[in-house]
Amino acid sequence: MSAVKIEFFHDVICSFCFPMSYRMRQLKAVMPEVEVIHRSFALVKEPSDFDRMFGSRENAKNEILSHWFYANQNDDLHRFNIDGMKQAVFPFPSSMNTLIAAKAAYFISGDDLYWDLFDALQESLFMHNKNVEDIEVIEATVQTIGIDLTSWRQHFADEKTREAVLADLKLAEDYQITSIPTLIVDGKHTISGAQPLTAIQSVLNEISLQKKLSAVETEASCKFRDGKFECD
């Protein structure tokens, strides 16, 4: 398959992004030529957004846990600890601290380290029921995957890291993305939702075939240029 670039839009607090990230890793294993670029999407940019969406931050938890139930069914490994989250006493986390945290890892060592921290933060929330909005929880998670904490703190505090997250959010608007997980393939093809691995592969194979056919047409084609037909 020809090289394909996938922009993976997601949020740490997005339940369906958890099984989708696992599948994207499977995809990379079977299609190593695929380039995965991680993009931020904030479901809850500010804590006050809980009031607008759910009436209150307290009300949010019950509805969000219903999403966890269906996400756990979607998850190939069924990893969600829903009962544990019901017993947790902290308010449901908002998005920005974790998105900036993952982007800080990107500035240390690119998309691979971003992905490692993103997955570790999702595991902290969905499996271990940690408050991933809390900086101490984030820093503990950072250390579990071997990131130098001093370097990470510098990038986390750097305004350019937040600006990079905001640039991702603007890009999502430009792509007219309204839900996640979403994959943007080669800047123009959209795959929405936590799709099965086979479905993602099928779409990518079709896109690759279209690119090959387009290349053949370009190499053997006739164009009307400057009043004359020119054939390659």
Side-chain angles (χ1 to χ4, degrees):
M1 188 180 79
S2 57
V4 172
K5 182 177 75 173
I6 298 177
E7 295 171 273
F8 179 14
F9 285 84
H10 48 44
D11 188 347
V12 169
I13 67 169
C14 164
S15 55
F16 282 94
C17 295
F18 192 35
M20 188 61 166
S21 184
Y22 174 76
R23 289 177 196 142
M24 291 302 291
R25 287 193 181 274
Q26 290 181 302
L27 181 72
K28 278 289 292 181
V30 297
M31 293 182 167
E33 68 276 16
V34 170
E35 178 186 4
V36 178
I37 300 171
H38 294 274
R39 302 292 193 196
S40 307
F41 187 101
L43 289 174
V44 185
K45 188 175 180 182
E46 304 293 342
S48 59
D49 291 341
F50 285 112
D51 297 335
R52 175 178 55 82
M53 292 186 286
F54 301 100
S56 72
R57 195 167 186 176
E58 291 72 24
N59 291 341
K61 185 174 180 178
N62 287 335
E63 183 168 340
I64 290 171
L65 284 180
S66 71
H67 303 166
W68 284 31
F69 174 81
Y70 294 107
N72 191 50
Q73 290 183 322
N74 181 280
D75 184 25
D76 298 328
L77 304 179
H78 309 298
R79 295 166 291 171
F80 286 76
N81 183 1
I82 298 173
D83 289 337
M85 191 60 183
K86 287 179 180 178
Q87 298 171 20
V89 296
F90 58 85
F92 197 83
S94 58
S95 301
M96 289 301 288
N97 279 356
T98 55
L99 294 176
I100 295 170
K103 192 67 78 173
Y106 169 82
F107 282 115
I108 294 172
S109 190
D111 275 303
D112 287 345
L113 194 61
Y114 178 112
W115 202 347
D116 289 344
L117 184 54
F118 178 87
D119 282 353
L121 288 167
Q122 287 215 300
E123 289 177 6
S124 291
L125 176 61
F126 297 121
M127 297 173 63
H128 307 302
N129 309 130
K130 302 293 185 181
N131 181 7
V132 293
E133 185 177 336
D134 185 88
I135 299 301
E136 290 185 0
V137 171
I138 293 174
E139 290 191 347
T141 307
V142 165
Q143 291 177 291
T144 64
I145 62 171
I147 297 176
D148 179 75
L149 187 58
T150 299
S151 178
W152 177 87
R153 282 173 171 166
Q154 291 173 345
H155 288 290
F156 183 77
D158 194 328
E159 183 61 25
K160 77 172 184 180
T161 306
R162 180 180 178 86
E163 290 173 356
V165 171
L166 295 177
D168 282 353
L169 305 188
K170 176 61 169 61
L171 184 60
E173 291 181 4
D174 293 343
Y175 281 136
Q176 299 182 327
I177 295 172
T178 58
S179 64
I180 49 172
T182 290
L183 308 180
I184 301 294
V185 184
D186 289 340
K188 56 186 176 181
H189 307 283
T190 302
I191 302 175
S192 299
Q195 300 296 330
L197 176 62
T198 53
I200 300 169
Q201 289 176 287
S202 178
V203 172
L204 295 181
N205 286 330
E206 179 63 27
I207 291 171
S208 181
L209 177 60
Q210 291 175 6
K211 289 169 69 174
K212 290 178 181 178
L213 291 174
S214 177
V216 170
E217 291 170 359
T218 301
E219 291 171 3
S221 62
C222 294
K223 303 179 181 65
F224 191 71
R225 182 180 299 149
D226 298 327
K228 300 179 181 179
F229 279 106
E230 296 180 0
C231 297
D232 301 323

Short mmCIF file of all heavy atoms in Angstrom, two decimals, residues 160-217:
data_model
loop_
_atom_site.label_atom_id
_atom_site.label_comp_id
_atom_site.label_asym_id
_atom_site.label_seq_id
_atom_site.Cartn_x
_atom_site.Cartn_y
_atom_site.Cartn_z
N LYS A 160 3.75 27.81 24.18
CA LYS A 160 3.68 27.26 22.82
C LYS A 160 3.00 25.90 22.81
O LYS A 160 2.42 25.50 21.79
CB LYS A 160 5.08 27.16 22.21
CG LYS A 160 5.92 26.01 22.70
CD LYS A 160 7.22 25.88 21.91
CE LYS A 160 8.01 24.65 22.35
NZ LYS A 160 9.29 24.51 21.60
N THR A 161 3.06 25.19 23.93
CA THR A 161 2.41 23.87 23.99
C THR A 161 0.89 24.04 23.98
O THR A 161 0.18 23.35 23.24
CB THR A 161 2.86 23.11 25.24
OG1 THR A 161 4.28 23.05 25.26
CG2 THR A 161 2.30 21.70 25.26
N ARG A 162 0.40 24.98 24.78
CA ARG A 162 -1.04 25.27 24.76
C ARG A 162 -1.46 25.78 23.39
O ARG A 162 -2.52 25.40 22.88
CB ARG A 162 -1.39 26.29 25.84
CG ARG A 162 -2.87 26.64 25.88
CD ARG A 162 -3.19 27.67 26.97
NE ARG A 162 -4.60 28.01 26.95
CZ ARG A 162 -5.54 27.35 27.57
NH1 ARG A 162 -5.23 26.27 28.27
NH2 ARG A 162 -6.81 27.72 27.51
N GLU A 163 -0.63 26.62 22.79
CA GLU A 163 -0.96 27.16 21.47
C GLU A 163 -1.04 26.03 20.43
O GLU A 163 -1.87 26.09 19.51
CB GLU A 163 0.08 28.19 21.05
CG GLU A 163 0.01 29.48 21.85
CD GLU A 163 1.16 30.43 21.55
OE1 GLU A 163 2.05 30.03 20.76
OE2 GLU A 163 1.17 31.54 22.10
N ALA A 164 -0.19 25.02 20.57
CA ALA A 164 -0.24 23.89 19.64
C ALA A 164 -1.54 23.11 19.80
O ALA A 164 -2.12 22.63 18.80
CB ALA A 164 0.96 22.97 19.88
N VAL A 165 -2.01 22.97 21.03
CA VAL A 165 -3.31 22.32 21.25
C VAL A 165 -4.42 23.15 20.62
O VAL A 165 -5.30 22.61 19.93
CB VAL A 165 -3.57 22.12 22.76
CG1 VAL A 165 -5.00 21.66 23.01
CG2 VAL A 165 -2.58 21.11 23.34
N LEU A 166 -4.38 24.45 20.84
CA LEU A 166 -5.41 25.33 20.26
C LEU A 166 -5.37 25.29 18.73
O LEU A 166 -6.42 25.37 18.08
CB LEU A 166 -5.22 26.76 20.76
CG LEU A 166 -5.43 26.97 22.27
CD1 LEU A 166 -5.14 28.42 22.65
CD2 LEU A 166 -6.85 26.57 22.70
N ALA A 167 -4.18 25.14 18.16
CA ALA A 167 -4.07 25.01 16.71
C ALA A 167 -4.75 23.73 16.23
O ALA A 167 -5.40 23.72 15.17
CB ALA A 167 -2.60 25.03 16.29
N ASP A 168 -4.63 22.66 17.00
CA ASP A 168 -5.33 21.42 16.66
C ASP A 168 -6.85 21.63 16.70
O ASP A 168 -7.58 21.13 15.83
CB ASP A 168 -4.96 20.30 17.64
CG ASP A 168 -3.60 19.69 17.35
OD1 ASP A 168 -2.99 20.02 16.31
OD2 ASP A 168 -3.13 18.88 18.18
N LEU A 169 -7.31 22.34 17.72
CA LEU A 169 -8.75 22.58 17.84
C LEU A 169 -9.26 23.40 16.66
O LEU A 169 -10.36 23.14 16.15
CB LEU A 169 -9.06 23.31 19.15
CG LEU A 169 -8.58 22.67 20.45
CD1 LEU A 169 -9.14 23.42 21.66
CD2 LEU A 169 -8.95 21.20 20.53
N LYS A 170 -8.45 24.37 16.21
CA LYS A 170 -8.82 25.16 15.03
C LYS A 170 -8.83 24.28 13.78
O LYS A 170 -9.72 24.41 12.92
CB LYS A 170 -7.83 26.31 14.86
CG LYS A 170 -8.05 27.16 13.61
CD LYS A 170 -9.42 27.82 13.61
CE LYS A 170 -9.56 28.88 12.52
NZ LYS A 170 -9.39 28.31 11.16
N LEU A 171 -7.86 23.38 13.68
CA LEU A 171 -7.82 22.48 12.54
C LEU A 171 -9.05 21.58 12.50
O LEU A 171 -9.61 21.31 11.43
CB LEU A 171 -6.54 21.64 12.59
CG LEU A 171 -6.27 20.70 11.41
CD1 LEU A 171 -6.18 21.47 10.10
CD2 LEU A 171 -5.00 19.89 11.65
N ALA A 172 -9.47 21.12 13.67
CA ALA A 172 -10.69 20.31 13.74
C ALA A 172 -11.90 21.09 13.23
O ALA A 172 -12.75 20.54 12.51
CB ALA A 172 -10.93 19.84 15.18
N GLU A 173 -11.97 22.37 13.57
CA GLU A 173 -13.04 23.22 13.04
C GLU A 173 -12.96 23.33 11.53
O GLU A 173 -13.97 23.27 10.82
CB GLU A 173 -12.98 24.61 13.67
CG GLU A 173 -13.34 24.66 15.14
CD GLU A 173 -13.28 26.07 15.69
OE1 GLU A 173 -13.04 27.01 14.89
OE2 GLU A 173 -13.47 26.25 16.91
N ASP A 174 -11.74 23.51 11.03
CA ASP A 174 -11.55 23.63 9.58
C ASP A 174 -12.00 22.36 8.86
O ASP A 174 -12.54 22.43 7.75
CB ASP A 174 -10.08 23.92 9.25
CG ASP A 174 -9.63 25.29 9.75
OD1 ASP A 174 -10.50 26.13 10.04
OD2 ASP A 174 -8.40 25.51 9.85
N TYR A 175 -11.75 21.21 9.48
CA TYR A 175 -12.19 19.93 8.91
C TYR A 175 -13.68 19.67 9.18
O TYR A 175 -14.21 18.65 8.73
CB TYR A 175 -11.38 18.78 9.50
CG TYR A 175 -10.00 18.58 8.93
CD1 TYR A 175 -8.91 18.33 9.76
CD2 TYR A 175 -9.78 18.59 7.55
CE1 TYR A 175 -7.63 18.11 9.24
CE2 TYR A 175 -8.51 18.37 7.02
CZ TYR A 175 -7.44 18.13 7.87
OH TYR A 175 -6.19 17.91 7.36
N GLN A 176 -14.30 20.54 9.94
CA GLN A 176 -15.72 20.42 10.33
C GLN A 176 -15.97 19.14 11.13
O GLN A 176 -16.99 18.47 10.99
CB GLN A 176 -16.62 20.46 9.09
CG GLN A 176 -16.51 21.77 8.32
CD GLN A 176 -17.44 21.84 7.11
OE1 GLN A 176 -17.73 20.84 6.46
NE2 GLN A 176 -17.93 23.04 6.82
N ILE A 177 -15.03 18.84 12.01
CA ILE A 177 -15.18 17.69 12.91
C ILE A 177 -16.03 18.10 14.10
O ILE A 177 -15.77 19.10 14.76
CB ILE A 177 -13.80 17.20 13.39
CG1 ILE A 177 -12.99 16.66 12.20
CG2 ILE A 177 -13.95 16.12 14.45
CD1 ILE A 177 -11.55 16.33 12.54
N THR A 178 -17.06 17.32 14.38
CA THR A 178 -17.95 17.62 15.50
C THR A 178 -17.99 16.49 16.52
O THR A 178 -18.64 16.63 17.57
CB THR A 178 -19.37 17.90 15.00
OG1 THR A 178 -19.86 16.77 14.26
CG2 THR A 178 -19.41 19.14 14.10
N SER A 179 -17.36 15.38 16.24
CA SER A 179 -17.35 14.25 17.17
C SER A 179 -16.04 13.50 17.02
O SER A 179 -15.36 13.60 15.99
CB SER A 179 -18.53 13.31 16.93
OG SER A 179 -18.43 12.71 15.64
N ILE A 180 -15.69 12.77 18.07
CA ILE A 180 -14.46 11.97 18.04
C ILE A 180 -14.75 10.59 18.61
O ILE A 180 -15.73 10.42 19.34
CB ILE A 180 -13.32 12.66 18.83
CG1 ILE A 180 -13.81 13.10 20.22
CG2 ILE A 180 -12.74 13.80 18.05
CD1 ILE A 180 -12.70 13.60 21.13
N PRO A 181 -13.90 9.61 18.26
CA PRO A 181 -12.70 9.71 17.44
C PRO A 181 -13.02 9.96 15.97
O PRO A 181 -14.01 9.46 15.45
CB PRO A 181 -12.03 8.35 17.63
CG PRO A 181 -13.18 7.41 17.90
CD PRO A 181 -14.15 8.22 18.72
N THR A 182 -12.15 10.72 15.32
CA THR A 182 -12.24 10.94 13.88
C THR A 182 -10.85 10.82 13.28
O THR A 182 -9.88 11.34 13.82
CB THR A 182 -12.82 12.34 13.58
OG1 THR A 182 -14.21 12.36 13.93
CG2 THR A 182 -12.69 12.67 12.09
N LEU A 183 -10.77 10.14 12.15
CA LEU A 183 -9.54 10.04 11.37
C LEU A 183 -9.72 10.86 10.10
O LEU A 183 -10.74 10.75 9.41
CB LEU A 183 -9.24 8.59 10.99
CG LEU A 183 -9.21 7.54 12.11
CD1 LEU A 183 -8.90 6.16 11.52
CD2 LEU A 183 -8.20 7.91 13.19
N ILE A 184 -8.71 11.68 9.82
CA ILE A 184 -8.66 12.39 8.54
C ILE A 184 -7.50 11.78 7.75
O ILE A 184 -6.35 11.86 8.18
CB ILE A 184 -8.46 13.90 8.73
CG1 ILE A 184 -9.59 14.51 9.56
CG2 ILE A 184 -8.36 14.59 7.37
CD1 ILE A 184 -10.96 14.46 8.90
N VAL A 185 -7.82 11.18 6.62
CA VAL A 185 -6.83 10.47 5.82
C VAL A 185 -6.39 11.36 4.66
O VAL A 185 -7.23 11.81 3.86
CB VAL A 185 -7.39 9.14 5.30
CG1 VAL A 185 -6.32 8.37 4.54
CG2 VAL A 185 -7.96 8.30 6.45
N ASP A 186 -5.09 11.61 4.60
CA ASP A 186 -4.50 12.42 3.53
C ASP A 186 -5.19 13.78 3.38
O ASP A 186 -5.30 14.33 2.28
CB ASP A 186 -4.55 11.67 2.19
CG ASP A 186 -3.58 10.50 2.15
OD1 ASP A 186 -2.63 10.49 2.95
OD2 ASP A 186 -3.77 9.59 1.32
N GLY A 187 -5.68 14.29 4.50
CA GLY A 187 -6.25 15.63 4.51
C GLY A 187 -7.62 15.79 3.88
O GLY A 187 -8.13 16.91 3.81
N LYS A 188 -8.25 14.66 3.46
CA LYS A 188 -9.52 14.82 2.75
C LYS A 188 -10.55 13.72 2.98
O LYS A 188 -11.74 13.92 2.74
CB LYS A 188 -9.27 14.97 1.25
CG LYS A 188 -8.48 13.85 0.62
CD LYS A 188 -8.16 14.17 -0.84
CE LYS A 188 -7.27 13.10 -1.46
NZ LYS A 188 -6.94 13.41 -2.88
N HIS A 189 -10.15 12.56 3.45
CA HIS A 189 -11.08 11.46 3.68
C HIS A 189 -11.34 11.33 5.18
O HIS A 189 -10.40 11.37 5.98
CB HIS A 189 -10.52 10.14 3.15
CG HIS A 189 -10.10 10.20 1.72
ND1 HIS A 189 -11.00 10.18 0.67
CD2 HIS A 189 -8.86 10.27 1.15
CE1 HIS A 189 -10.34 10.23 -0.47
NE2 HIS A 189 -9.05 10.29 -0.21
N THR A 190 -12.59 11.15 5.57
CA THR A 190 -12.98 11.12 6.98
C THR A 190 -13.48 9.74 7.37
O THR A 190 -14.32 9.15 6.67
CB THR A 190 -14.07 12.16 7.27
OG1 THR A 190 -13.59 13.46 6.91
CG2 THR A 190 -14.45 12.16 8.75
N ILE A 191 -12.97 9.25 8.48
CA ILE A 191 -13.49 8.02 9.11
C ILE A 191 -13.93 8.42 10.51
O ILE A 191 -13.12 8.82 11.33
CB ILE A 191 -12.43 6.92 9.17
CG1 ILE A 191 -11.90 6.57 7.79
CG2 ILE A 191 -13.00 5.66 9.86
CD1 ILE A 191 -10.75 5.57 7.79
N SER A 192 -15.21 8.31 10.78
CA SER A 192 -15.76 8.77 12.05
C SER A 192 -16.14 7.60 12.94
O SER A 192 -16.64 6.57 12.46
CB SER A 192 -17.02 9.63 11.81
OG SER A 192 -16.69 10.78 11.05
N GLY A 193 -15.91 7.76 14.24
CA GLY A 193 -16.33 6.77 15.21
C GLY A 193 -15.29 5.69 15.44
O GLY A 193 -14.31 5.57 14.70
N ALA A 194 -15.52 4.90 16.49
CA ALA A 194 -14.60 3.81 16.85
C ALA A 194 -14.91 2.59 15.97
O ALA A 194 -15.57 1.64 16.40
CB ALA A 194 -14.72 3.48 18.33
N GLN A 195 -14.43 2.64 14.76
CA GLN A 195 -14.72 1.60 13.77
C GLN A 195 -13.87 0.36 14.02
O GLN A 195 -12.76 0.45 14.57
CB GLN A 195 -14.46 2.14 12.37
CG GLN A 195 -15.28 3.34 11.98
CD GLN A 195 -16.77 3.01 11.92
OE1 GLN A 195 -17.15 1.88 11.61
NE2 GLN A 195 -17.60 4.00 12.22
N PRO A 196 -14.34 -0.82 13.60
CA PRO A 196 -13.52 -2.04 13.69
C PRO A 196 -12.25 -1.90 12.85
O PRO A 196 -12.23 -1.17 11.85
CB PRO A 196 -14.44 -3.13 13.14
CG PRO A 196 -15.82 -2.57 13.19
CD PRO A 196 -15.68 -1.09 13.04
N LEU A 197 -11.22 -2.60 13.26
CA LEU A 197 -9.95 -2.55 12.53
C LEU A 197 -10.14 -2.93 11.06
O LEU A 197 -9.57 -2.30 10.17
CB LEU A 197 -8.94 -3.49 13.20
CG LEU A 197 -7.58 -3.62 12.50
CD1 LEU A 197 -6.86 -2.29 12.45
CD2 LEU A 197 -6.73 -4.68 13.21
N THR A 198 -10.95 -3.96 10.80
CA THR A 198 -11.15 -4.41 9.43
C THR A 198 -11.80 -3.32 8.58
O THR A 198 -11.48 -3.19 7.39
CB THR A 198 -12.02 -5.67 9.39
OG1 THR A 198 -13.24 -5.44 10.14
CG2 THR A 198 -11.28 -6.86 9.99
N ALA A 199 -12.69 -2.55 9.18
CA ALA A 199 -13.34 -1.47 8.43
C ALA A 199 -12.35 -0.37 8.10
O ALA A 199 -12.36 0.18 6.99
CB ALA A 199 -14.51 -0.91 9.25
N ILE A 200 -11.48 -0.04 9.05
CA ILE A 200 -10.46 0.98 8.80
C ILE A 200 -9.51 0.52 7.69
O ILE A 200 -9.19 1.28 6.77
CB ILE A 200 -9.67 1.27 10.09
CG1 ILE A 200 -10.61 1.76 11.19
CG2 ILE A 200 -8.58 2.31 9.82
CD1 ILE A 200 -9.96 1.82 12.57
N GLN A 201 -9.08 -0.73 7.77
CA GLN A 201 -8.19 -1.27 6.73
C GLN A 201 -8.85 -1.24 5.36
O GLN A 201 -8.21 -0.92 4.36
CB GLN A 201 -7.79 -2.70 7.09
CG GLN A 201 -6.84 -2.83 8.26
CD GLN A 201 -6.56 -4.28 8.60
OE1 GLN A 201 -7.41 -4.98 9.15
NE2 GLN A 201 -5.38 -4.75 8.26
N SER A 202 -10.12 -1.56 5.32
CA SER A 202 -10.83 -1.58 4.05
C SER A 202 -10.87 -0.19 3.42
O SER A 202 -10.63 -0.04 2.21
CB SER A 202 -12.25 -2.10 4.26
OG SER A 202 -12.99 -2.09 3.06
N VAL A 203 -11.16 0.81 4.24
CA VAL A 203 -11.19 2.18 3.73
C VAL A 203 -9.81 2.60 3.24
O VAL A 203 -9.67 3.20 2.17
CB VAL A 203 -11.70 3.15 4.81
CG1 VAL A 203 -11.54 4.60 4.35
CG2 VAL A 203 -13.16 2.87 5.14
N LEU A 204 -8.77 2.30 4.01
CA LEU A 204 -7.42 2.69 3.62
C LEU A 204 -6.98 1.99 2.34
O LEU A 204 -6.31 2.60 1.48
CB LEU A 204 -6.44 2.39 4.76
CG LEU A 204 -6.63 3.19 6.05
CD1 LEU A 204 -5.56 2.80 7.06
CD2 LEU A 204 -6.60 4.69 5.80
N ASN A 205 -7.34 0.74 2.19
CA ASN A 205 -7.00 0.02 0.96
C ASN A 205 -7.70 0.63 -0.24
O ASN A 205 -7.11 0.72 -1.33
CB ASN A 205 -7.36 -1.46 1.10
CG ASN A 205 -6.41 -2.22 1.99
OD1 ASN A 205 -5.24 -1.88 2.09
ND2 ASN A 205 -6.91 -3.25 2.66
N GLU A 206 -8.94 1.05 -0.05
CA GLU A 206 -9.68 1.68 -1.14
C GLU A 206 -9.05 3.02 -1.51
O GLU A 206 -8.91 3.35 -2.70
CB GLU A 206 -11.14 1.88 -0.73
CG GLU A 206 -12.02 2.55 -1.78
CD GLU A 206 -12.14 1.74 -3.06
OE1 GLU A 206 -12.02 0.51 -3.00
OE2 GLU A 206 -12.36 2.36 -4.12
N ILE A 207 -8.65 3.79 -0.50
CA ILE A 207 -7.99 5.08 -0.76
C ILE A 207 -6.68 4.86 -1.50
O ILE A 207 -6.35 5.57 -2.45
CB ILE A 207 -7.77 5.84 0.55
CG1 ILE A 207 -9.11 6.30 1.13
CG2 ILE A 207 -6.84 7.04 0.34
CD1 ILE A 207 -9.01 6.87 2.53
N SER A 208 -5.93 3.85 -1.07
CA SER A 208 -4.65 3.54 -1.73
C SER A 208 -4.86 3.15 -3.19
O SER A 208 -4.10 3.56 -4.08
CB SER A 208 -3.94 2.41 -0.97
OG SER A 208 -2.71 2.10 -1.57
N LEU A 209 -5.90 2.36 -3.44
CA LEU A 209 -6.21 1.97 -4.81
C LEU A 209 -6.56 3.18 -5.66
O LEU A 209 -6.12 3.31 -6.81
CB LEU A 209 -7.36 0.96 -4.81
CG LEU A 209 -7.85 0.49 -6.19
CD1 LEU A 209 -6.71 -0.20 -6.95
CD2 LEU A 209 -9.04 -0.45 -6.04
N GLN A 210 -7.35 4.09 -5.11
CA GLN A 210 -7.72 5.30 -5.84
C GLN A 210 -6.48 6.13 -6.19
O GLN A 210 -6.37 6.68 -7.29
CB GLN A 210 -8.69 6.14 -5.02
CG GLN A 210 -10.07 5.52 -4.86
CD GLN A 210 -10.96 6.33 -3.92
OE1 GLN A 210 -10.58 7.40 -3.47
NE2 GLN A 210 -12.15 5.80 -3.63
N LYS A 211 -5.53 6.20 -5.25
CA LYS A 211 -4.30 6.95 -5.49
C LYS A 211 -3.48 6.31 -6.61
O LYS A 211 -2.91 7.00 -7.45
CB LYS A 211 -3.47 7.03 -4.20
CG LYS A 211 -4.07 7.93 -3.14
CD LYS A 211 -3.40 7.77 -1.80
CE LYS A 211 -1.99 8.30 -1.78
NZ LYS A 211 -1.41 8.26 -0.43
N LYS A 212 -3.43 4.97 -6.63
CA LYS A 212 -2.69 4.27 -7.68
C LYS A 212 -3.33 4.50 -9.04
O LYS A 212 -2.65 4.74 -10.04
CB LYS A 212 -2.63 2.78 -7.37
CG LYS A 212 -1.73 2.43 -6.20
CD LYS A 212 -1.75 0.93 -5.93
CE LYS A 212 -0.87 0.57 -4.75
NZ LYS A 212 -0.91 -0.88 -4.43
N LEU A 213 -4.68 4.44 -9.08
CA LEU A 213 -5.37 4.67 -10.35
C LEU A 213 -5.16 6.10 -10.83
O LEU A 213 -4.97 6.35 -12.02
CB LEU A 213 -6.87 4.38 -10.17
CG LEU A 213 -7.25 2.92 -9.97
CD1 LEU A 213 -8.73 2.80 -9.67
CD2 LEU A 213 -6.87 2.08 -11.19
N SER A 214 -5.17 7.03 -9.91
CA SER A 214 -4.94 8.43 -10.26
C SER A 214 -3.54 8.63 -10.81
O SER A 214 -3.32 9.38 -11.77
CB SER A 214 -5.15 9.32 -9.03
OG SER A 214 -4.87 10.66 -9.33
N ALA A 215 -2.57 7.93 -10.21
CA ALA A 215 -1.18 8.04 -10.68
C ALA A 215 -1.05 7.49 -12.10
O ALA A 215 -0.35 8.06 -12.95
CB ALA A 215 -0.25 7.31 -9.73
N VAL A 216 -1.73 6.39 -12.39
CA VAL A 216 -1.68 5.80 -13.73
C VAL A 216 -2.30 6.75 -14.74
O VAL A 216 -1.77 6.98 -15.84
CB VAL A 216 -2.42 4.45 -13.75
CG1 VAL A 216 -2.58 3.95 -15.19
CG2 VAL A 216 -1.65 3.42 -12.93
N GLU A 217 -3.43 7.37 -14.36
CA GLU A 217 -4.08 8.31 -15.27
C GLU A 217 -3.18 9.51 -15.54
O GLU A 217 -3.13 10.04 -16.65
CB GLU A 217 -5.41 8.76 -14.67
CG GLU A 217 -6.45 7.66 -14.62
CD GLU A 217 -7.67 8.05 -13.80
OE1 GLU A 217 -7.66 9.19 -13.28
OE2 GLU A 217 -8.60 7.26 -13.70
#
